Amino acid sequence: MAAERQARMADRIRVLIAQRLEKGLRDPRLGFVTITDVRVTGDLQHASVFYTVLGDEKARQDTADALRAATGLLRSEVGRQLSVRLTPTLEFIHDAIPENAGHIEDLLREAAERDAAVAGLAAGATHAGDEDPYVKPREFDDAE
């Protein structure tokens, strides 16, 4: 029951913050932000808001600064929209999933290239010893 309430509150906070960011903040440092996930603690007192930013490292840093500066405003907005006694504190955390996914794709592509190279070598390979290295049972003569 409590986990359902946590999930509902996290989804609602995600939607509220995304809507507010879509309307825009009066901060020129804010880049193109996507809210990827929100996790609320079991006591519903703290919400970790995960986000991604389109752009380079400077855009990420500027957006992080803008979100840190707007935390109070966003928390007030969330508090007005949620019907809870205590509004959870908000913590904005840059979500590194897109960068990690790109790195994983690079590793998978490199592994596929190596597999193809090994398959190419194996196709033209010959046996090092006899073609059938297993010992065969001797055939006995009936004359013995």
Side-chain angles (χ1 to χ4, degrees), residues 102-118:
H103 180 65
I104 290 171
E105 285 179 11
D106 292 342
L107 292 174
L108 289 173
R109 183 174 37 260
E110 183 180 331
E113 290 169 0
R114 288 182 182 182
D115 286 349
V118 168

Side-chain angles (χ1 to χ4, degrees), residues 21 24-33 53 59 62-64 66-67:
L21 291 176
L25 297 174
R26 291 189 183 119
D27 195 331
R29 300 175 295 178
L30 190 67
F32 185 74
V33 180
V53 180
D62 288 347
T63 298
L67 288 172

Side-chain angles (χ1 to χ4, degrees):
M1 191 68 114
E4 292 174 18
R5 187 167 184 210
Q6 271 180 276
R8 280 195 316 269
M9 182 178 273
D11 285 343
R12 185 72 179 132
I13 290 172
R14 184 180 55 79
V15 168
L16 292 172
I17 291 175
Q19 287 174 345
R20 182 63 178 103
L21 291 176
E22 191 175 297
K23 282 193 248 177
L25 297 174
R26 291 189 183 119
D27 195 331
R29 300 175 295 178
L30 190 67
F32 185 74
V33 180
T34 302
I35 304 299
T36 57
D37 192 19
V38 174
R39 294 188 188 142
V40 179
T41 57
D43 61 0
L44 307 177
Q45 297 300 305
H46 182 76
S48 298
V49 181
F50 294 88
Y51 68 93
T52 59
V53 180
L54 187 64
D56 59 357
E57 185 59 37
K58 181 176 177 359
R60 278 185 232 131
Q61 187 59 47
D62 288 347
T63 298
D65 294 341
L67 288 172
R68 204 170 302 116
T71 299
L73 171 79
L74 292 170
R75 184 174 182 222
S76 297
E77 181 104 6
V78 167
R80 274 196 304 275
Q81 299 290 330
L82 289 177
S83 55
V84 293
R85 188 169 53 93
L86 296 171
T87 303
T89 59
L90 300 178
E91 176 187 16
F92 289 93
I93 302 169
H94 180 261
D95 195 350
I97 287 178
E99 290 86 9
N100 291 344
H103 180 65
I104 290 171
E105 285 179 11
D106 292 342
L107 292 174
L108 289 173
R109 183 174 37 260
E110 183 180 331
E113 290 169 0
R114 288 182 182 182
D115 286 349
V118 168
L121 290 173
T126 58
H127 295 284
D130 293 335
E131 192 165 314
D132 188 6
Y134 298 104
V135 177
K136 309 270 185 301
R138 287 190 227 169
E139 295 183 22
F140 294 104
D141 292 333
D142 291 332
E144 290 181 15

